[in-house]
Amino acid sequence: MRPPSCLGRRLAALDAVGPGRTSGGSTSSWRPPLCAQVHCAASSSRAAPASTRSTDGLQQLRQGSRRWQSSSVIQNQQLPPQQAQREHPISPPPTSFPAAQSSTSAKAVPSSQYLKDRHHRTHSYLRISLTEKCNLRCLYCMPEEGVPLTPSDKLLSQSELARLARLFVQCGVSKVRLTGGEPTLRRDLPEIMESLNELRLLGLRQIGMTSNGIALHRKLPNLVRSGLTHLNLSLDTLDPFKFELMTRRPAGLDAVLRSLDTALELGLDSVKINVVVLKGVNDNEDVLDFVAFTRDKPVTVRFIEYMPFDGNKWAEGKLVPYRTLLEKIQHRFGPLERLRDDDNDTSKGWRVPGFAGSIGFITSMTEHFCGTCNRLRITADGNLKVCLFGNAEVSLRDAMRGVVPASTSSQTQVTRSPATDAQLLDVISAAVQRKHARHAGMSSLDALAKSLNRPMVAIGG
């Protein structure tokens, strides 16, 4: 059965709202940015006396290290000067760090100064994208024609992912989430999950994953055995016709709901549904259907404000402020119970009294939560991204492989010695120090909409 033609016309009309974010032709306007080039300079640091020298953790990593510095090369020539991101002085990393704990109690390691930015935010949450591939084409995430895929040899390998995850956990990261693209499309996903599970003794508490659920339900039991504790499912409607329109793929809703039921049966610590709300598409009965869904299902449904990324044709007219949704829900279900949010929560939590599940609102556009941001991202091609909306990135992949990216004036790559863990920490610290106070330094929705960034699928949802 075909979707209703009236909704199809509505989606076509919405696509015409606001400036398009893709160029003509069959490819997206986004290309992987020229990442920060990492330079190695000799360090004159001295080894500590034997009586005070640490033999484990981060202090050991720093012995005999060379200081690495990074400078961002940002492709924002298309932006007006006032919107271009400005460089900031890079504070050198501190000279000593707490050693990583190793105990069966798996207490979180205090965040080291490497992951503390100049706005006094510590970062204990790492999101790792495993792939740019996806088996859906959601309106807000990927251009209809897809995106140019990074060659497989340019993606982070399983061993590189494990190395970076261990390094971040030693610095105080207690929560890791695997994203994509669609992470279940990566064949070595169970092995990656197992390598993360080994980090519990170093302080890792949560291993999460965000999936569209299409190919998940058969793989989920093995992933839980391998260490998965938290699952987010991306699902924007419970209507099969709208599902096809919003994902640009036939069928699939039954598979997602089957994955949801499997997750609940397996007893994961947390199961959430992420719903991106688009005005005139899924902002009415779909929202109310999801709230009713929590009557008997112990899940958290989070309504996410529509955010601008390259290729998704964002316009302010498509944005539905969370307060509008809250009023609509209360009109149908009556007064809601406000839940207590954790310090670094991105979601404002509510519950219909007596319901098994809860709802939340991620208000990135109308009431940002940048002041308590504790998140860092690593893209599938190995770039560290300190802000979701920022286009300044640094390549940890190239540092680990000993490659200096070709400059704009030369196509020749320069090789060097691969970075040690201590040198990687210096690169990470420099990037974290450049993080802006809010929204990558942009102060308006219009500036965000016009900024050059990756499509969401190439960042990691």
Side-chain angles (χ1 to χ4, degrees):
M1 184 179 295
R2 301 298 301 168
S5 59
C6 59
L7 183 57
R9 289 195 298 271
R10 184 183 302 168
L11 285 172
L14 283 169
D15 279 345
V17 177
R21 294 175 60 84
T22 55
S23 60
S26 60
T27 60
S28 167
S29 61
W30 171 80
R31 291 295 185 274
L34 181 61
C35 300
Q37 297 186 13
V38 183
H39 305 281
C40 180
S43 171
S44 59
S45 59
R46 299 177 180 177
S51 60
T52 61
R53 191 178 304 161
S54 172
T55 58
D56 62 355
L58 298 179
Q59 291 181 357
Q60 182 184 30
L61 296 179
R62 293 195 53 81
Q63 292 179 12
S65 72
R66 293 178 294 176
R67 181 61 48 84
W68 285 47
Q69 297 290 346
S70 63
S71 58
S72 293
V73 182
I74 305 171
Q75 289 187 337
N76 54 12
Q77 292 88 346
Q78 301 177 14
L79 305 181
Q82 65 270 23
Q83 293 179 12
Q85 291 191 350
R86 295 184 294 274
E87 287 300 305
H88 294 275
I90 301 174
S91 302
T95 57
S96 63
F97 302 88
Q101 297 179 6
S102 178
S103 67
T104 55
S105 61
K107 294 181 179 179
V109 179
S111 295
S112 83
Q113 294 300 306
Y114 279 120
L115 302 186
K116 186 173 183 178
D117 67 19
R118 56 199 172 91
H119 304 289
H120 310 292
R121 296 171 297 199
T122 55
H123 297 78
S124 58
Y125 180 9
L126 179 66
R127 301 173 68 94
I128 303 175
S129 177
L130 299 184
T131 179
E132 298 163 353
K133 295 179 180 179
C134 188
N135 42 14
L136 299 180
R137 294 290 183 273
C138 297
L139 297 172
Y140 51 84
C141 186
M142 187 190 294
E144 185 172 7
E145 67 276 7
V147 297
L149 295 176
T150 301
S152 58
D153 64 330
K154 300 295 184 182
L155 300 177
L156 290 177
S157 67
Q158 180 185 331
S159 61
E160 289 170 333
L161 288 166
R163 179 186 177 187
L164 289 175
R166 176 176 292 273
L167 198 58
F168 275 91
V169 170
Q170 287 177 322
C171 285
V173 163
S174 59
K175 178 179 179 180
V176 172
R177 177 169 295 277
L178 301 178
T179 68
E182 173 50 40
T184 59
L185 297 182
R186 180 136 175 176
R187 295 180 179 179
D188 57 354
L189 176 59
E191 290 76 20
I192 293 172
M193 195 74 68
E194 289 173 359
S195 69
L196 292 177
N197 199 40
E198 294 174 358
L199 301 180
R200 292 187 183 279
L201 294 179
L202 297 180
L204 184 62
R205 291 177 175 174
Q206 296 183 17
I207 303 174
M209 184 174 72
T210 298
S211 169
N212 61 31
I214 295 293
L216 178 62
H217 73 278
R218 291 190 182 93
K219 302 177 181 181
L220 199 49
N222 186 36
L223 293 176
V224 172
R225 285 192 295 269
S226 299
L228 181 67
T229 61
H230 291 63
L231 177 66
N232 290 0
L233 287 173
S234 299
L235 178 62
D236 304 307
T237 179
L238 295 173
D239 183 325
F241 300 123
K242 287 187 182 180
F243 182 90
E244 180 175 339
L245 285 170
M246 294 191 72
T247 63
R248 301 190 182 107
R249 288 293 183 269
L253 178 59
D254 289 343
V256 181
L257 295 177
R258 190 158 58 247
S259 294
L260 174 64
D261 289 338
T262 301
L264 294 175
E265 291 170 2
L266 291 171
L268 287 162
D269 292 349
S270 171
V271 179
K272 298 177 181 178
I273 298 174
N274 290 339
V275 183
V276 178
V277 181
L278 280 68
K279 188 173 184 179
V281 180
N282 64 335
D283 60 326
N284 287 310
E285 289 303 317
D286 298 272
V287 170
L288 300 176
D289 288 345
F290 272 118
V291 177
F293 192 73
T294 67
R295 184 187 306 274
D296 302 312
K297 299 279 188 181
V299 299
T300 298
V301 178
R302 304 190 301 177
F303 300 107
I304 303 174
E305 292 181 340
Y306 187 29
M307 293 176 280
F309 297 100
D310 199 63
N312 74 354
K313 300 181 181 179
W314 185 92
E316 192 168 354
K318 301 179 185 180
L319 171 65
V320 184
Y322 99 93
R323 292 189 180 278
T324 300
L325 295 179
L326 183 60
E327 292 174 1
K328 187 174 299 186
I329 293 169
Q330 289 178 323
H331 181 74
R332 171 71 64 88
F333 294 93
L336 302 181
E337 174 190 354
R338 183 69 166 94
L339 303 179
R340 180 179 178 180
D341 303 322
D342 292 335
D343 292 340
N344 300 110
D345 268 352
T346 60
S347 177
K348 298 174 174 63
W350 301 78
R351 174 185 285 118
V352 178
F355 279 25
S358 61
I359 62 174
F361 302 90
I362 297 181
T363 62
S364 306
M365 306 304 290
T366 60
E367 292 186 16
H368 72 84
F369 34 82
C370 301
T372 58
C373 181
N374 68 335
R375 292 166 295 285
L376 299 171
R377 287 174 166 81
I378 297 177
T379 62
D381 56 353
N383 286 359
L384 176 63
K385 195 175 182 72
V386 297
C387 177
L388 176 62
F389 296 109
N391 58 11
E393 302 175 357
V394 61
S395 179
L396 302 181
R397 177 202 66 198
D398 288 344
M400 289 188 292
R401 297 182 184 182
V403 174
V404 177
S407 66
T408 54
S409 59
S410 172
Q411 298 301 314
T412 304
Q413 287 188 335
V414 180
T415 59
R416 57 157 183 262
S417 298
T420 65
D421 285 355
Q423 291 163 344
L424 280 174
L425 286 175
D426 284 345
V427 174
I428 292 166
S429 175
V432 171
Q433 283 296 311
R434 290 194 298 273
K435 186 169 181 175
H436 289 269
R438 58 168 289 187
H439 284 171
M442 291 170 278
S443 58
S444 68
L445 297 184
D446 184 62
L448 279 176
K450 293 179 180 178
S451 65
L452 185 65
N453 199 358
R454 297 179 181 228
M456 189 66 202
V457 70
I459 296 174

